[in-house]
């Protein structure tokens, strides 16, 4: 069961469980089905090619220039269709940890 509010604490046990398709206990109508769900990860390197992991895809980064000499690389992640909207962020947290 996913908590409604994380209170700024990342619970990695909840994140790892989201990788297992057999742990989804929600009705089919709550799943995303045909809709593509995208999240974003912040990388410390530029990713120029698409990484296709069969279940999900990490797309090339977009560089964001910040004040002074700072910049960031943001990569869109196309999430698995088996995820539901209300807990899809857990998958992205686990991806960012890897």
């Amino acid at each position: 069961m996913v908590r409604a509010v994380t209170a700024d604490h990342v619970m990695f046990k909840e994140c790892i469980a989201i990788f297992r398709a057999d742990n989804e206990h929600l009705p089919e109508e709550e799943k995303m089905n045909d809709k593509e769900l995208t999240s974003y990860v912040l990388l410390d390197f530029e990713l120029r090619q698409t990484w296709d992991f069969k279940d999900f895809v990490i797309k090339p980064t977009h560089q964001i220039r910040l004040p002074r000499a700072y910049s960031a690389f943001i990569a869109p992640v196309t999430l698995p269709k088996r995820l539901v909207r209300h807990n899809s962020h857990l998958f992205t947290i686990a991806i960012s940890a890897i």
Side-chain angles (χ1 to χ4, degrees):
M1 181 70 176
V2 176
R3 291 170 288 117
V5 178
T6 59
D8 292 332
H9 297 285
V10 176
M11 305 300 279
F12 285 102
K13 278 188 176 181
E14 294 173 358
C15 295
I16 298 304
I18 203 71
F19 280 111
R20 297 182 181 96
D22 60 336
N23 283 341
E24 290 296 320
H25 301 291
L26 292 170
E28 279 298 314
E29 60 269 10
E30 290 188 36
K31 296 189 180 185
M32 294 305 297
N33 293 330
D34 296 342
K35 299 177 186 169
E36 185 176 276
L37 188 59
T38 303
S39 63
Y40 299 87
V41 292
L42 185 65
L43 301 175
D44 59 353
F45 60 92
E46 182 177 14
L47 180 62
R48 294 181 183 200
Q49 69 274 5
T50 298
W51 288 353
D52 190 345
F53 292 96
K54 186 178 170 185
D55 199 25
F56 66 96
V57 176
I58 301 177
K59 297 179 180 177
T61 55
H62 302 282
Q63 185 176 17
I64 307 299
R65 297 201 183 274
L66 302 169
R68 300 188 184 181
Y70 297 105
S71 68
F73 297 103
I74 300 174
V77 179
T78 303
L79 300 175
K81 293 187 182 216
R82 64 180 168 77
L83 295 180
V84 293
R85 184 175 300 278
H86 82 273
N87 68 355
S88 60
H89 67 286
L90 297 176
F91 190 89
T92 309
I93 291 171
I95 292 295
S96 68
I98 294 171

